[in-house]
Amino acid sequence: MLELKNISKTYGQTKALKSINLSIPAGKTMVLLGQSGCGKSTLIRIMNGLIQADNGGTVYFEDVQITPKNALELRHKMGYVIQEGGLFPHLTAYQNISLMAHYLGWTEDRIGKQVTKLTQLTQFPPEGLNRFPSQLSGGQRQRVSLMRALALDPALLLLDEPLGALDPMIRSGLQADLKHIFQTLGKTVVIVTHDISEAGFLGDAIVLLRDGQIVQQGSLTELVHTPSDPFVTQFINAQRSPIEL
Ligand SMILES: Nc1ncnc2c1ncn2[C@@H]1O[C@H](COP(=O)(O)OP(=O)(O)O)[C@@H](O)[C@H]1O
Ligand SMILES: [Mg+2]
C-alpha cells in the first residue's frame, strides 16, 4: 500500500527523520510508536504528501510515486486525522464530514447515505450531526474526525494520536471501537501513539521510533521478548503501571 524509501527530513538544525525505510502492507494496522518529538507526525505527513522528504527520499502509494503535483489528488484516497482533530469550528459535524464530498460533487442523496453509514459504524448519535464541534464531547469530536477521514471511503487511513486528548475511560472505550471499525472495514491503517498498550491492542505490527530512526519493527510480543536494543525494553518498562493491584 505504501513504500517509504530513504526518508529523511531536516528542519534547520533538527534532523526529524533519518533514512527511514518502511513498507506498509495492505489491509493491516501499523502503529508508529515513540516518545514525543521522535518524528511520528512528520512521518505520517510525509506518507500523505503534506510535506516532502529531503532529496533522495521517495514514497510510493499503490505503486505511484507521490510528488507535489499528484499529492492533492492522491490524498483523496487517504483519510487523515490530524493530531489535534482539526475540525472546522464554524461548521457542524455533518458539514465537517461532508465537506470534501461536496467539493467533489457528490449528490446530497449519496452524501446523506454515506453519513448515515458512518454514524452507525462509529456509533455517533445522529442528533449530534447538526451540532458544532464545541457542542460535542471530546469522544464525540474524535468520532466526527474519524467519520470525516472515512467520508470518501479511502484505501488508507492515517490517524495521528486520535485518542491523545481523551480521559482514560473514554479512551479505552474508543480503542475498542476503533479496533472493531478497523476489523469491519478491512482498510490499511497507520496509527500514531506514544502508548505501548494502545499500540499492542490496535496494531498488527508496531514500528518503534527514536530520534527519527526505526529502533525495531514487529509485534508487541517480539518487542517484549526479543528487543533489538536496550532502548526497547526501557521504553516498555517506562510505561508499566507503578501500582500493583
Ligand atoms: N515545521 C517544523 N519546523 C521545525 N521543526 C519541526 C517542525 N515539525 C516538527 N519539527 C521538529 O521535528 C521533530 C519531530 O517532530 P514530530 O514529527 O512532530 O514528532 P512527534 O509527532 O513524534 O511528537 C521535533 O524535534 C520537532 O520539534
Ligand atoms: Mg506528533
PDB file of all heavy atoms in Angstrom, residues 150-177:
ATOM      1  N   LEU A 150     -13.081   9.085   6.891  1.00  0.00           N
ATOM      2  CA  LEU A 150     -13.609   7.924   6.166  1.00  0.00           C
ATOM      3  C   LEU A 150     -14.616   8.307   5.081  1.00  0.00           C
ATOM      4  O   LEU A 150     -15.083   7.448   4.325  1.00  0.00           O
ATOM      5  CB  LEU A 150     -14.298   6.966   7.158  1.00  0.00           C
ATOM      6  CG  LEU A 150     -13.373   6.178   8.084  1.00  0.00           C
ATOM      7  CD1 LEU A 150     -14.176   5.501   9.190  1.00  0.00           C
ATOM      8  CD2 LEU A 150     -12.595   5.135   7.283  1.00  0.00           C
ATOM      9  N   ALA A 151     -14.950   9.595   4.990  1.00  0.00           N
ATOM     10  CA  ALA A 151     -16.080  10.028   4.151  1.00  0.00           C
ATOM     11  C   ALA A 151     -15.950   9.601   2.697  1.00  0.00           C
ATOM     12  O   ALA A 151     -16.924   9.189   2.074  1.00  0.00           O
ATOM     13  CB  ALA A 151     -16.255  11.538   4.246  1.00  0.00           C
ATOM     14  N   LEU A 152     -14.757   9.682   2.139  1.00  0.00           N
ATOM     15  CA  LEU A 152     -14.582   9.350   0.717  1.00  0.00           C
ATOM     16  C   LEU A 152     -14.222   7.878   0.522  1.00  0.00           C
ATOM     17  O   LEU A 152     -13.801   7.479  -0.557  1.00  0.00           O
ATOM     18  CB  LEU A 152     -13.503  10.239   0.088  1.00  0.00           C
ATOM     19  CG  LEU A 152     -13.731  11.759   0.140  1.00  0.00           C
ATOM     20  CD1 LEU A 152     -12.579  12.485  -0.541  1.00  0.00           C
ATOM     21  CD2 LEU A 152     -15.052  12.149  -0.517  1.00  0.00           C
ATOM     22  N   ASP A 153     -14.383   7.090   1.572  1.00  0.00           N
ATOM     23  CA  ASP A 153     -14.068   5.661   1.529  1.00  0.00           C
ATOM     24  C   ASP A 153     -12.629   5.418   1.063  1.00  0.00           C
ATOM     25  O   ASP A 153     -12.386   4.727   0.064  1.00  0.00           O
ATOM     26  CB  ASP A 153     -15.061   4.942   0.601  1.00  0.00           C
ATOM     27  CG  ASP A 153     -15.145   3.465   0.922  1.00  0.00           C
ATOM     28  OD1 ASP A 153     -14.693   3.056   2.008  1.00  0.00           O
ATOM     29  OD2 ASP A 153     -15.638   2.707   0.069  1.00  0.00           O
ATOM     30  N   PRO A 154     -11.658   5.965   1.790  1.00  0.00           N
ATOM     31  CA  PRO A 154     -10.260   5.892   1.351  1.00  0.00           C
ATOM     32  C   PRO A 154      -9.683   4.483   1.490  1.00  0.00           C
ATOM     33  O   PRO A 154     -10.154   3.695   2.306  1.00  0.00           O
ATOM     34  CB  PRO A 154      -9.549   6.839   2.320  1.00  0.00           C
ATOM     35  CG  PRO A 154     -10.359   6.745   3.571  1.00  0.00           C
ATOM     36  CD  PRO A 154     -11.788   6.597   3.115  1.00  0.00           C
ATOM     37  N   ALA A 155      -8.657   4.209   0.684  1.00  0.00           N
ATOM     38  CA  ALA A 155      -7.977   2.910   0.777  1.00  0.00           C
ATOM     39  C   ALA A 155      -7.104   2.852   2.028  1.00  0.00           C
ATOM     40  O   ALA A 155      -6.875   1.796   2.597  1.00  0.00           O
ATOM     41  CB  ALA A 155      -7.120   2.706  -0.459  1.00  0.00           C
ATOM     42  N   LEU A 156      -6.622   4.021   2.426  1.00  0.00           N
ATOM     43  CA  LEU A 156      -5.651   4.108   3.511  1.00  0.00           C
ATOM     44  C   LEU A 156      -6.133   5.127   4.537  1.00  0.00           C
ATOM     45  O   LEU A 156      -6.631   6.195   4.177  1.00  0.00           O
ATOM     46  CB  LEU A 156      -4.306   4.562   2.929  1.00  0.00           C
ATOM     47  CG  LEU A 156      -3.170   4.914   3.880  1.00  0.00           C
ATOM     48  CD1 LEU A 156      -2.692   3.667   4.618  1.00  0.00           C
ATOM     49  CD2 LEU A 156      -2.005   5.527   3.106  1.00  0.00           C
ATOM     50  N   LEU A 157      -5.991   4.771   5.801  1.00  0.00           N
ATOM     51  CA  LEU A 157      -6.424   5.655   6.876  1.00  0.00           C
ATOM     52  C   LEU A 157      -5.206   5.988   7.740  1.00  0.00           C
ATOM     53  O   LEU A 157      -4.529   5.088   8.237  1.00  0.00           O
ATOM     54  CB  LEU A 157      -7.481   4.912   7.703  1.00  0.00           C
ATOM     55  CG  LEU A 157      -8.335   5.662   8.695  1.00  0.00           C
ATOM     56  CD1 LEU A 157      -9.062   6.823   8.039  1.00  0.00           C
ATOM     57  CD2 LEU A 157      -9.360   4.701   9.303  1.00  0.00           C
ATOM     58  N   LEU A 158      -4.922   7.289   7.884  1.00  0.00           N
ATOM     59  CA  LEU A 158      -3.770   7.742   8.669  1.00  0.00           C
ATOM     60  C   LEU A 158      -4.284   8.497   9.895  1.00  0.00           C
ATOM     61  O   LEU A 158      -4.969   9.515   9.755  1.00  0.00           O
ATOM     62  CB  LEU A 158      -2.889   8.671   7.821  1.00  0.00           C
ATOM     63  CG  LEU A 158      -2.362   8.114   6.508  1.00  0.00           C
ATOM     64  CD1 LEU A 158      -1.721   9.220   5.665  1.00  0.00           C
ATOM     65  CD2 LEU A 158      -1.368   6.992   6.750  1.00  0.00           C
ATOM     66  N   LEU A 159      -3.973   8.000  11.077  1.00  0.00           N
ATOM     67  CA  LEU A 159      -4.519   8.591  12.306  1.00  0.00           C
ATOM     68  C   LEU A 159      -3.374   9.013  13.220  1.00  0.00           C
ATOM     69  O   LEU A 159      -2.588   8.177  13.675  1.00  0.00           O
ATOM     70  CB  LEU A 159      -5.392   7.564  13.045  1.00  0.00           C
ATOM     71  CG  LEU A 159      -6.495   6.883  12.221  1.00  0.00           C
ATOM     72  CD1 LEU A 159      -7.158   5.772  13.030  1.00  0.00           C
ATOM     73  CD2 LEU A 159      -7.546   7.890  11.797  1.00  0.00           C
ATOM     74  N   ASP A 160      -3.275  10.305  13.482  1.00  0.00           N
ATOM     75  CA  ASP A 160      -2.187  10.820  14.316  1.00  0.00           C
ATOM     76  C   ASP A 160      -2.687  11.059  15.739  1.00  0.00           C
ATOM     77  O   ASP A 160      -3.379  12.044  15.993  1.00  0.00           O
ATOM     78  CB  ASP A 160      -1.639  12.119  13.704  1.00  0.00           C
ATOM     79  CG  ASP A 160      -0.297  12.524  14.316  1.00  0.00           C
ATOM     80  OD1 ASP A 160       0.103  11.932  15.346  1.00  0.00           O
ATOM     81  OD2 ASP A 160       0.348  13.439  13.760  1.00  0.00           O
ATOM     82  N   GLU A 161      -2.335  10.166  16.635  1.00  0.00           N
ATOM     83  CA  GLU A 161      -2.756  10.220  18.043  1.00  0.00           C
ATOM     84  C   GLU A 161      -4.235  10.586  18.177  1.00  0.00           C
ATOM     85  O   GLU A 161      -4.581  11.577  18.827  1.00  0.00           O
ATOM     86  CB  GLU A 161      -1.893  11.233  18.828  1.00  0.00           C
ATOM     87  CG  GLU A 161      -0.399  10.943  18.663  1.00  0.00           C
ATOM     88  CD  GLU A 161       0.407  11.150  19.930  1.00  0.00           C
ATOM     89  OE1 GLU A 161      -0.158  10.975  21.033  1.00  0.00           O
ATOM     90  OE2 GLU A 161       1.597  11.466  19.821  1.00  0.00           O
ATOM     91  N   PRO A 162      -5.111   9.771  17.585  1.00  0.00           N
ATOM     92  CA  PRO A 162      -6.534  10.144  17.569  1.00  0.00           C
ATOM     93  C   PRO A 162      -7.165  10.139  18.958  1.00  0.00           C
ATOM     94  O   PRO A 162      -8.199  10.766  19.151  1.00  0.00           O
ATOM     95  CB  PRO A 162      -7.173   9.073  16.673  1.00  0.00           C
ATOM     96  CG  PRO A 162      -6.268   7.897  16.782  1.00  0.00           C
ATOM     97  CD  PRO A 162      -4.891   8.478  16.919  1.00  0.00           C
ATOM     98  N   LEU A 163      -6.541   9.462  19.903  1.00  0.00           N
ATOM     99  CA  LEU A 163      -7.154   9.368  21.234  1.00  0.00           C
ATOM    100  C   LEU A 163      -6.349  10.130  22.284  1.00  0.00           C
ATOM    101  O   LEU A 163      -6.633  10.043  23.480  1.00  0.00           O
ATOM    102  CB  LEU A 163      -7.277   7.892  21.647  1.00  0.00           C
ATOM    103  CG  LEU A 163      -7.927   6.981  20.599  1.00  0.00           C
ATOM    104  CD1 LEU A 163      -7.973   5.548  21.086  1.00  0.00           C
ATOM    105  CD2 LEU A 163      -9.333   7.464  20.280  1.00  0.00           C
ATOM    106  N   GLY A 164      -5.354  10.884  21.826  1.00  0.00           N
ATOM    107  CA  GLY A 164      -4.403  11.503  22.739  1.00  0.00           C
ATOM    108  C   GLY A 164      -5.017  12.397  23.799  1.00  0.00           C
ATOM    109  O   GLY A 164      -4.572  12.401  24.940  1.00  0.00           O
ATOM    110  N   ALA A 165      -6.049  13.145  23.427  1.00  0.00           N
ATOM    111  CA  ALA A 165      -6.556  14.168  24.342  1.00  0.00           C
ATOM    112  C   ALA A 165      -7.715  13.684  25.224  1.00  0.00           C
ATOM    113  O   ALA A 165      -8.341  14.482  25.905  1.00  0.00           O
ATOM    114  CB  ALA A 165      -7.006  15.380  23.524  1.00  0.00           C
ATOM    115  N   LEU A 166      -7.975  12.376  25.217  1.00  0.00           N
ATOM    116  CA  LEU A 166      -9.171  11.891  25.931  1.00  0.00           C
ATOM    117  C   LEU A 166      -8.834  11.334  27.305  1.00  0.00           C
ATOM    118  O   LEU A 166      -7.744  10.826  27.531  1.00  0.00           O
ATOM    119  CB  LEU A 166      -9.848  10.804  25.105  1.00  0.00           C
ATOM    120  CG  LEU A 166     -10.306  11.251  23.710  1.00  0.00           C
ATOM    121  CD1 LEU A 166     -10.797  10.049  22.922  1.00  0.00           C
ATOM    122  CD2 LEU A 166     -11.387  12.314  23.810  1.00  0.00           C
ATOM    123  N   ASP A 167      -9.803  11.394  28.217  1.00  0.00           N
ATOM    124  CA  ASP A 167      -9.533  10.817  29.538  1.00  0.00           C
ATOM    125  C   ASP A 167      -9.597   9.284  29.450  1.00  0.00           C
ATOM    126  O   ASP A 167     -10.150   8.721  28.512  1.00  0.00           O
ATOM    127  CB  ASP A 167     -10.449  11.418  30.608  1.00  0.00           C
ATOM    128  CG  ASP A 167     -11.893  11.141  30.350  1.00  0.00           C
ATOM    129  OD1 ASP A 167     -12.288   9.969  30.427  1.00  0.00           O
ATOM    130  OD2 ASP A 167     -12.619  12.105  30.040  1.00  0.00           O
ATOM    131  N   PRO A 168      -8.973   8.581  30.433  1.00  0.00           N
ATOM    132  CA  PRO A 168      -8.692   7.151  30.274  1.00  0.00           C
ATOM    133  C   PRO A 168      -9.913   6.250  29.993  1.00  0.00           C
ATOM    134  O   PRO A 168      -9.825   5.351  29.166  1.00  0.00           O
ATOM    135  CB  PRO A 168      -8.052   6.776  31.618  1.00  0.00           C
ATOM    136  CG  PRO A 168      -7.479   8.038  32.134  1.00  0.00           C
ATOM    137  CD  PRO A 168      -8.365   9.140  31.646  1.00  0.00           C
ATOM    138  N   MET A 169     -11.039   6.517  30.639  1.00  0.00           N
ATOM    139  CA  MET A 169     -12.207   5.657  30.421  1.00  0.00           C
ATOM    140  C   MET A 169     -12.745   5.794  29.003  1.00  0.00           C
ATOM    141  O   MET A 169     -13.030   4.809  28.326  1.00  0.00           O
ATOM    142  CB  MET A 169     -13.337   6.028  31.408  1.00  0.00           C
ATOM    143  CG  MET A 169     -13.094   5.570  32.821  1.00  0.00           C
ATOM    144  SD  MET A 169     -13.201   3.784  32.958  1.00  0.00           S
ATOM    145  CE  MET A 169     -14.977   3.580  32.852  1.00  0.00           C
ATOM    146  N   ILE A 170     -12.873   7.043  28.565  1.00  0.00           N
ATOM    147  CA  ILE A 170     -13.366   7.314  27.210  1.00  0.00           C
ATOM    148  C   ILE A 170     -12.373   6.723  26.209  1.00  0.00           C
ATOM    149  O   ILE A 170     -12.731   6.126  25.207  1.00  0.00           O
ATOM    150  CB  ILE A 170     -13.461   8.849  26.973  1.00  0.00           C
ATOM    151  CG1 ILE A 170     -14.334   9.518  28.026  1.00  0.00           C
ATOM    152  CG2 ILE A 170     -13.947   9.155  25.562  1.00  0.00           C
ATOM    153  CD1 ILE A 170     -15.796   9.304  27.874  1.00  0.00           C
ATOM    154  N   ARG A 171     -11.109   6.869  26.545  1.00  0.00           N
ATOM    155  CA  ARG A 171     -10.054   6.407  25.654  1.00  0.00           C
ATOM    156  C   ARG A 171     -10.122   4.897  25.457  1.00  0.00           C
ATOM    157  O   ARG A 171     -10.043   4.403  24.333  1.00  0.00           O
ATOM    158  CB  ARG A 171      -8.702   6.808  26.259  1.00  0.00           C
ATOM    159  CG  ARG A 171      -7.537   6.513  25.378  1.00  0.00           C
ATOM    160  CD  ARG A 171      -6.258   7.081  25.984  1.00  0.00           C
ATOM    161  NE  ARG A 171      -5.156   6.733  25.116  1.00  0.00           N
ATOM    162  CZ  ARG A 171      -4.198   7.569  24.745  1.00  0.00           C
ATOM    163  NH1 ARG A 171      -4.202   8.798  25.176  1.00  0.00           N
ATOM    164  NH2 ARG A 171      -3.231   7.169  23.966  1.00  0.00           N
ATOM    165  N   SER A 172     -10.290   4.160  26.545  1.00  0.00           N
ATOM    166  CA  SER A 172     -10.288   2.708  26.387  1.00  0.00           C
ATOM    167  C   SER A 172     -11.546   2.253  25.645  1.00  0.00           C
ATOM    168  O   SER A 172     -11.488   1.303  24.852  1.00  0.00           O
ATOM    169  CB  SER A 172     -10.113   2.013  27.738  1.00  0.00           C
ATOM    170  OG  SER A 172     -11.346   1.816  28.349  1.00  0.00           O
ATOM    171  N   GLY A 173     -12.660   2.953  25.834  1.00  0.00           N
ATOM    172  CA  GLY A 173     -13.866   2.628  25.064  1.00  0.00           C
ATOM    173  C   GLY A 173     -13.664   2.862  23.582  1.00  0.00           C
ATOM    174  O   GLY A 173     -14.029   2.032  22.742  1.00  0.00           O
ATOM    175  N   LEU A 174     -13.042   3.974  23.264  1.00  0.00           N
ATOM    176  CA  LEU A 174     -12.813   4.303  21.851  1.00  0.00           C
ATOM    177  C   LEU A 174     -11.768   3.381  21.210  1.00  0.00           C
ATOM    178  O   LEU A 174     -11.855   3.078  20.029  1.00  0.00           O
ATOM    179  CB  LEU A 174     -12.375   5.758  21.715  1.00  0.00           C
ATOM    180  CG  LEU A 174     -13.435   6.709  21.154  1.00  0.00           C
ATOM    181  CD1 LEU A 174     -12.987   8.156  21.312  1.00  0.00           C
ATOM    182  CD2 LEU A 174     -13.742   6.439  19.699  1.00  0.00           C
ATOM    183  N   GLN A 175     -10.804   2.927  22.013  1.00  0.00           N
ATOM    184  CA  GLN A 175      -9.823   1.962  21.487  1.00  0.00           C
ATOM    185  C   GLN A 175     -10.549   0.711  20.993  1.00  0.00           C
ATOM    186  O   GLN A 175     -10.272   0.207  19.904  1.00  0.00           O
ATOM    187  CB  GLN A 175      -8.823   1.559  22.570  1.00  0.00           C
ATOM    188  CG  GLN A 175      -7.721   2.569  22.802  1.00  0.00           C
ATOM    189  CD  GLN A 175      -6.889   2.264  24.040  1.00  0.00           C
ATOM    190  OE1 GLN A 175      -7.203   1.356  24.804  1.00  0.00           O
ATOM    191  NE2 GLN A 175      -5.843   3.028  24.246  1.00  0.00           N
ATOM    192  N   ALA A 176     -11.473   0.230  21.819  1.00  0.00           N
ATOM    193  CA  ALA A 176     -12.219  -0.974  21.435  1.00  0.00           C
ATOM    194  C   ALA A 176     -13.061  -0.700  20.194  1.00  0.00           C
ATOM    195  O   ALA A 176     -13.121  -1.535  19.278  1.00  0.00           O
ATOM    196  CB  ALA A 176     -13.099  -1.424  22.597  1.00  0.00           C
ATOM    197  N   ASP A 177     -13.682   0.469  20.142  1.00  0.00           N
ATOM    198  CA  ASP A 177     -14.493   0.822  18.966  1.00  0.00           C
ATOM    199  C   ASP A 177     -13.628   0.924  17.715  1.00  0.00           C
ATOM    200  O   ASP A 177     -14.010   0.462  16.642  1.00  0.00           O
ATOM    201  CB  ASP A 177     -15.222   2.157  19.195  1.00  0.00           C
ATOM    202  CG  ASP A 177     -16.311   2.035  20.247  1.00  0.00           C
ATOM    203  OD1 ASP A 177     -16.583   0.899  20.689  1.00  0.00           O
ATOM    204  OD2 ASP A 177     -16.884   3.074  20.627  1.00  0.00           O
TER     205      ASP A 177
END
